């Protein structure tokens, strides 16, 4: 028998359970089902009928349209968070912080851009058609809000330079960059390289400029050709370092500052392959202080940015706005701290 002659079986299509089907099963009206689904039973539906409806919902597998139900009540339970490429492990911690602050009363909907792309105002406007309770936007472009032209509760994350008109929770990345420069200068480094992240975000520009200005004031130089950039990816960072290192070595560079820990992991990986002594021949630093940085070999010197706290504080600010409360401090800035480890200091 040819394989094409074999009988074919297909899984039966599961019919969508409707409110009318629940009503018939429970022996009540569809209006009663709607009242139960929308939480409007008080004084309208008896306890017995409410129990019947809830039992039928469970037995039939009825899925309540949460968005539709919340809109019918006039209260949305959806929070939209717009974020750049979340392949960066830093954002997993930010999202965890947001989630912990929102609790079980709100659903978090993520809108994620491609690597190296900024949040799009046009895409965000389409999401606002869901009528969310509030909006969180991580690291937007300065023109984002003007293009968005939307009202409603909004809090920005890691978005320096927007002024005091928009609530925001920021990270003191500039001070972290200055601390890195001071640490390397104190260790005797005079020529350094900078491996940046391709994101287009203000926060990355700010940390780069702050480091370069602090380095110059401390007598360190970044030679021509000693700056390069990749998207936030270990492999790409390793490749970029492998390509640049011969020239950097000839230029006398003894330290490389990476815009993220992910970039630094790529440098450390390639340094091991190439037999480069860390930190004897080359000191390596990162930014973010991801969990693995304390346990890498050697441990990575990095600027600690409190990612989870960033998410938590932003969500707390947003919830206050949703509840009609005034913000005591519309602009919050969270401190950074330098974690010195074996990638810059000989044991």
């Amino acid at each position: 028998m040819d394989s094409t002659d074999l009988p074919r079986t297909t899984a039966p299509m599961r019919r969508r359970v409707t409110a009318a089907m629940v009503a018939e099963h429970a022996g009540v009206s569809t209006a009663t089902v709607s009242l139960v689904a929308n939480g409007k039973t008080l004084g309208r539906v008896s306890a017995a009928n409410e129990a019947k409806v809830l039992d039928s919902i469970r037995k039939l597998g009825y899925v309540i349209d949460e968005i539709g139900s919340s809109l019918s009540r006039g209260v949305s339970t959806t929070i939209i968070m717009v974020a750049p490429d979340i392949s960066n492990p830093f954002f997993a911690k930010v999202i965890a912080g947001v989630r912990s602050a929102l609790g079980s009363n709100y659903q978090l909907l993520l809108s994620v851009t491609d690597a190296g792309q900024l949040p799009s105002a046009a895409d965000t406007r389409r999401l606002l058609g869901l009528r969310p309770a509030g909006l969180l936007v991580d690291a937007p472009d300065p023109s984002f809000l003007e293009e968005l032209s939307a009202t409603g509760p909004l809090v920005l994350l890691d978005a320096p330079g927007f002024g005091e008109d928009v609530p925001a929770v920021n990270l003191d990345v500039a001070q972290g960059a200055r601390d890195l420069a001071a640490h390397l200068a104190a260790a005797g480094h005079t020529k350094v390289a900078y491996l940046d992240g391709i994101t287009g975000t203000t926060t990355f520009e700010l940390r780069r400029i702050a480091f370069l200005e602090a380095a110059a004031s401390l007598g360190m130089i970044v030679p021509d050709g000693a700056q390069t950039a990749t998207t936030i990816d270990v492999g790409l960072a390793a490749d970029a370092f492998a390509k640049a290192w011969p020239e950097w070595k000839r230029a006398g560079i003894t330290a490389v500052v990476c815009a993220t820990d992910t970039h630094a992991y790529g440098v450390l990986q390639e340094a091991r392959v190439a037999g480069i002594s860390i930190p004897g021949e080359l000191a390596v630093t990162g930014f973010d202080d991801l969990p693995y940085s304390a346990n890498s070999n050697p441990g990575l010197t990095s600027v600690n940015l409190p990612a989870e706290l960033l998410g938590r504080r932003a969500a707390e600010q947003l919830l206050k706005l949703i509840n009609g409360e005034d913000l005591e401090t519309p602009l919050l800035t969270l401190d950074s701290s330098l974690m010195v480890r074996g990638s810059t200091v000989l044991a």
Side-chain angles (χ1 to χ4, degrees):
M1 178 184 297
D2 187 272
S3 61
T4 57
D5 296 327
L6 293 174
R8 297 180 180 180
T9 59
T10 57
M13 292 290 291
R14 184 174 179 179
R15 188 169 54 159
R16 180 175 177 272
V17 178
T18 66
M21 294 164 66
V22 174
E24 182 179 359
H25 187 275
V28 298
S29 67
T30 54
T32 298
V33 172
S34 177
L35 289 171
V36 173
N38 291 320
K40 295 182 178 181
T41 59
L42 186 63
R44 298 183 178 186
V45 180
S46 68
N49 279 344
E50 182 179 7
K52 288 180 183 178
V53 172
L54 292 175
D55 181 62
S56 295
I57 287 174
R58 283 191 295 269
K59 289 180 177 178
L60 297 179
Y62 177 57
V63 178
I64 299 171
D65 179 357
E66 293 290 349
I67 294 176
S69 296
S70 64
L71 292 180
S72 69
R73 297 194 300 271
V75 179
S76 176
T77 60
T78 300
I79 301 293
I80 292 177
M81 181 173 182
V82 182
D85 174 29
I86 61 170
S87 61
N88 181 355
F90 180 80
F91 289 110
K93 298 172 68 177
V94 174
I95 293 166
V98 171
R99 189 62 269 161
S100 68
L102 294 181
S104 59
N105 293 327
Y106 290 90
Q107 296 297 313
L108 181 62
L109 176 63
L110 292 177
S111 174
V112 181
T113 65
D114 293 331
Q117 298 297 313
L118 295 173
S120 162
D123 290 344
T124 303
R125 275 198 301 273
R126 284 191 286 271
L127 289 171
L128 292 177
L130 298 174
R131 294 171 61 187
L135 182 65
L136 296 167
V137 184
D138 195 304
D141 181 86
S143 64
F144 177 86
L145 292 181
E146 184 178 343
E147 294 175 8
L148 185 63
S149 300
T151 59
L154 166 70
V155 174
L156 305 181
L157 297 82
D158 199 11
F162 276 81
E164 299 184 359
D165 294 335
V166 184
V169 183
N170 293 320
L171 299 163
D172 196 352
V173 295
Q175 185 57 51
R178 289 190 286 267
D179 290 343
L180 268 180
H183 171 64
L184 293 175
H189 297 282
T190 58
K191 293 184 178 180
V192 298
Y194 196 89
L195 178 52
D196 205 355
I198 298 175
T199 66
T201 59
T202 304
T203 180
F204 276 76
E205 180 182 7
L206 184 59
R207 66 186 71 179
R208 182 185 68 255
I209 292 173
F211 174 79
L212 295 176
E213 289 179 348
S217 70
L218 292 166
M220 292 188 297
I221 64 172
V222 179
D224 291 341
Q227 291 190 58
T228 188
T230 75
T231 53
I232 302 173
D233 179 89
V234 172
L236 292 177
D239 291 343
F241 172 71
K243 181 179 180 180
W245 174 241
E247 181 181 343
W248 289 359
K249 185 177 181 179
R250 286 191 295 270
I253 286 171
T254 58
V256 56
V257 174
C258 300
T260 72
D261 283 9
T262 302
H263 285 86
Y265 298 158
V267 173
L268 291 177
Q269 173 183 296
E270 183 58 31
R272 283 193 294 271
V273 172
I276 302 169
S277 173
I278 306 291
E281 187 176 0
L282 181 70
V284 181
T285 72
F287 234 100
D288 294 340
D289 194 29
L290 299 177
Y292 179 69
S293 297
N295 302 311
S296 62
N297 185 22
L300 179 64
T301 292
S302 182
V303 175
N304 178 275
L305 300 177
E308 187 169 352
L309 183 62
L310 172 68
R312 189 162 68 249
R313 289 286 180 267
E316 289 170 351
Q317 294 285 79
L318 185 65
L319 290 176
K320 289 179 181 179
L321 293 175
I322 290 171
N323 292 326
E325 302 176 30
D326 292 329
L327 300 181
E328 294 181 10
T329 309
L331 294 182
L332 298 177
T333 301
L334 306 180
D335 291 337
S336 61
S337 56
L338 181 62
M339 311 301 293
V340 177
R341 302 188 179 101
S343 68
T344 58
V345 178
L346 286 169

